[in-house]
C-alpha cells in the first residue's frame, strides 16, 4: 500500500499534556471563560440533527458582511480558521509552487502546505521575534503563490505594524495571495498594529482570516471566517469539505456577535492579565517579546524541556517549542501568581 511519503512523514498535531482538574491548561491559547451567557442555549435551541446544516452559511455570512461592511460573497466561514487557511492554500498552490511564511509561527502552516504538495519557504523572525517583512517580500519569486502574515504572531506574540504591512503589500505582486492571519486580533491593544478590517477592499490579493475560537471562547465548536475579494473566496470555498460547519456553530457565532459588550469586557480582562504577567516576567529579567495576543513567550532556549516540566510540576500545562521557548496562554487570574513563581525559580536556577 503506497502512501504519499511526505504525508506519511507528517506527525499528527499534538495537543500536549493535561493538568489535573485543579491545575491550569495554558497550552492551547483557549479562553478560560465559558461561552458568553446565553450562547450555549442559543446554539442548541433550533437544531434538527436529522438535517444537514446550511451549506451556504447564509445567516452568519450575511451578519458578518454587515458587521464588516462588505458584500455577502466577500466573507466565507469554515470549520475554524485553520480550515480556511488550508482551503486558501489549496486554492492557490500545487506541487512546484511555494508558500512563504515566517518561522517560527503557527505550527499548523507547514502541514497545510505539505497537503497541497507545494513547498514551504520559512523566513526567520527577527531578533525581537517579529516578522521580517522585508525578508518575506524578498522571498517572493515566480513560484510563490501565497504569503502568510500572522499578526499577532503565534507563538511569539508581536503584532505587525500597520504602516510596515502596507509597505510590504506594495512590494508583493498582485498575483500572489497574501493571507493576514488575525486569529488573535481581538486582543491587540497597540494602536500602531495592523488591523485587517481597515484594509478590506484595498488590495485585490489580500484575505484576512479570523476565528471564534480564541476571544469568543468557541474553540470546541470549530468556526472561523475569512474576508477578501469574492473571486478568491469562491475558489477557497470550492476546496471545502461540504457542510463542515454545523448549525450549532452558526447559532453560537450569531449569538456571540449579539453580545459584543460582554465580549469586549472579557477581552479587556485577558489583556490586563497579559500585560501584568509580561511586566512581572520582564522585571524578573526575562526577555519577553511584545505580547499582543492572549499568550506570552518565555525564551527558555536550551532549557525549554526542563522549563516545561517545571511548569507541569506546578500543575500548569504550557506549550514548549523545541529549544526555543515556551508559550503560556493567559488563563485564570489565579494562574498568574503561580506562573510568576515558577518563572522566578527558573531564572534563579
Ligand atoms: C488558533 C489559531 C488559528 C485558528 O484556530 P481555529 O480554531 O482553527 O479557528 C489560526 N491561526 C493561528 C495563528 C492560531 O493560533
Amino acid at each position: 500500500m503506497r502512501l504519499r511519503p511526505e504525508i506519511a512523514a507528517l506527525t499528527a498535531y499534538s495537543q500536549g499534556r493535561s493538568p489535573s482538574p485543579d491545575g491550569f491548561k495554558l497550552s492551547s491559547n483557549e479562553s478560560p471563560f465559558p461561552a458568553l451567557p446565553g450562547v450555549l442555549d442559543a446554539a442548541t435551541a433550533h437544531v434538527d440533527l436529522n438535517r444537514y446544516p446550511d451549506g451556504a452559511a447564509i445567516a452568519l455570512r450575511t451578519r458578518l458582511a454587515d458587521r464588516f461592511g462588505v458584500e455577502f460573497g466577500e466573507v466565507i466561514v469554515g470549520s475554524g480558521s485553520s480550515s480556511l487557511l488550508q482551503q486558501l492554500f489549496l486554492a492557490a498552490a500545487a506541487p512546484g509552487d511555494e508558500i512563504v511564511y515566517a518561522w517560527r509561527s503557527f505550527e499548523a502552516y507547514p502541514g497545510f502546505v505539505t497537503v497541497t504538495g507545494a513547498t514551504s519557504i520559512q523566513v526567520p523572525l527577527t531578533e525581537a521575534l517579529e516578522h521580517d517583512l522585508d525578508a518575506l517580500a524578498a522571498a517572493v519569486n515566480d513560484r510563490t503563490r501565497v504569503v502568510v502574515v500572522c499578526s499577532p504572531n503565534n507563538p511569539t506574540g508581536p503584532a505587525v505594524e500597520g504602516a510596515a504591512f502596507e509597505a510590504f503589500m506594495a512590494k508583493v505582486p498582485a498575483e500572489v495571495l497574501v493571507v493576514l492571519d488575525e486569529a488573535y486580533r481581538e486582543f491587540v491593544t497597540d494602536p500602531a498594529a495592523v488591523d485587517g478590517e481597515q484594509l478590506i477592499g484595498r488590495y485585490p490579493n489580500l484575505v484576512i482570516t479570523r476565528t471564534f475560537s480564541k476571544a469568543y471562547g468557541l474553540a470546541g465548536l470549530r468556526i472561523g471566517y475569512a474576508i477578501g475579494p469574492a473571486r478568491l473566496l469562491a475558489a477557497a470555498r470550492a476546496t471545502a469539505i461540504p457542510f463542515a460547519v454545523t448549525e450549532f456553530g452558526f447559532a453560537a457565532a450569531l449569538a456571540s456577535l449579539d453580545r459584543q459588550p460582554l465580549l469586549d469586557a472579557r477581552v479587556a480582562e485577558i489583556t490586563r492579565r497579559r500585560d501584568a504577567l509580561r511586566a512581572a516576567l520582564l522585571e524578573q529579567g526575562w526577555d519577553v517579546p511584545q505580547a499582543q495576543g492572549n499568550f506570552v513567550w518565555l525564551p527558555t532556549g536550551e532549557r525549554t524541556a526542563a522549563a516545561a516540566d517545571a511548569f507541569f510540576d506546578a500543575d500548569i500545562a504550557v506549550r514548549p517549542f523545541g529549544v526555543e521557548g515556551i508559550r503560556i496562554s493567559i488563563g485564570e487570574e489565579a494562574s498568574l501568581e503561580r506562573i510568576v513563581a515558577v518563572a522566578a525559580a527558573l531564572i534563579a536556577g
Side-chain angles (χ1 to χ4, degrees):
M1 170 62 223
R2 290 166 68 169
L3 297 171
R4 285 171 62 190
E6 71 278 20
I7 300 294
L10 274 182
T11 47
Y13 177 81
S14 119
Q15 277 194 318
R17 296 180 287 186
S18 295
S20 84
D22 300 326
F24 300 106
K25 182 172 185 290
L26 307 179
S27 52
S28 297
N29 292 348
E30 294 154 339
S31 173
F33 303 114
L36 292 166
V39 168
L40 183 59
D41 286 342
T44 52
H46 306 291
V47 181
D48 294 325
L49 290 182
N50 54 317
R51 304 292 179 196
Y52 282 110
D54 173 16
I58 289 173
L60 181 56
R61 289 171 68 199
T62 302
R63 179 64 186 275
L64 288 167
D66 275 2
R67 152 80 178 76
F68 288 95
V70 298
E71 299 293 320
F72 177 77
E74 293 170 326
V75 49
I76 59 172
V77 301
S79 176
S81 62
S82 300
S83 172
L84 294 166
L85 289 163
Q86 187 176 61
Q87 289 169 233
L88 287 159
F89 290 6
L90 284 166
D97 299 334
E98 294 179 354
I99 297 183
V100 176
Y101 53 89
W103 201 251
R104 189 172 274 283
S105 189
F106 186 32
E107 61 207 302
Y109 297 150
F112 292 165
V113 174
T114 300
V115 168
T116 70
T119 302
S120 277
I121 304 296
Q122 300 184 333
V123 176
L125 298 171
T126 66
E127 288 267 296
L129 302 182
E130 297 176 359
H131 275 57
D132 185 340
L133 290 174
D134 289 338
L136 277 171
V140 173
N141 62 39
D142 288 350
R143 291 180 299 279
T144 310
R145 293 295 175 271
V146 186
V147 184
V148 189
V149 174
C150 184
S151 178
N153 188 48
N154 175 12
T156 59
V160 165
E161 208 206 302
F165 185 78
E166 289 185 45
F168 162 82
M169 286 303 294
K171 287 189 221 162
V172 177
E175 310 83 65
V176 175
L177 168 61
V178 177
V179 180
L180 179 59
D181 180 348
E182 295 194 303
Y184 301 97
R185 173 61 223 187
E186 292 84 354
F187 301 106
V188 171
T189 50
D190 177 358
V194 67
D195 180 359
E197 186 174 351
Q198 307 300 319
L199 302 176
I200 290 169
R202 296 255 317 266
Y203 302 96
N205 57 334
L206 177 66
V207 173
I208 68 172
T209 57
R210 293 192 179 182
T211 181
F212 287 96
S213 295
K214 308 283 165 51
Y216 287 89
L218 297 180
L221 273 179
R222 314 305 304 123
I223 184 151
Y225 56 99
I227 301 174
R231 192 178 77 91
L232 290 178
L233 296 188
R237 263 196 86 204
T239 71
I241 292 170
F243 308 114
V245 186
T246 65
E247 291 291 336
F248 297 104
F250 296 142
L254 285 165
S256 297
L257 290 169
D258 285 339
R259 290 161 174 76
Q260 195 62 41
L262 288 170
L263 191 267
D264 293 344
R266 284 184 173 185
V267 166
E269 177 58 25
I270 294 291
T271 57
R272 185 193 63 73
R273 291 179 194 172
R274 173 195 72 197
D275 294 346
L277 178 60
R278 178 167 182 262
L281 295 170
L282 287 173
E283 193 162 324
Q284 290 178 353
W286 291 100
D287 194 6
V288 181
Q290 286 294 339
Q292 289 290 303
N294 63 341
F295 52 90
V296 296
W297 174 261
L298 209 55
T300 43
E302 299 290 335
R303 298 191 300 152
T304 294
D309 287 345
F311 280 104
F312 199 69
D313 290 345
D315 213 0
I316 300 172
V318 298
R319 181 65 66 90
F321 292 90
V323 290
E324 291 158 65
I326 281 175
R327 188 192 66 201
I328 308 172
S329 308
I330 304 303
E332 292 78 359
E333 176 78 39
S335 68
L336 301 179
E337 213 179 325
R338 221 190 278 181
I339 297 167
V340 170
V342 174
L346 284 170
I347 207 154

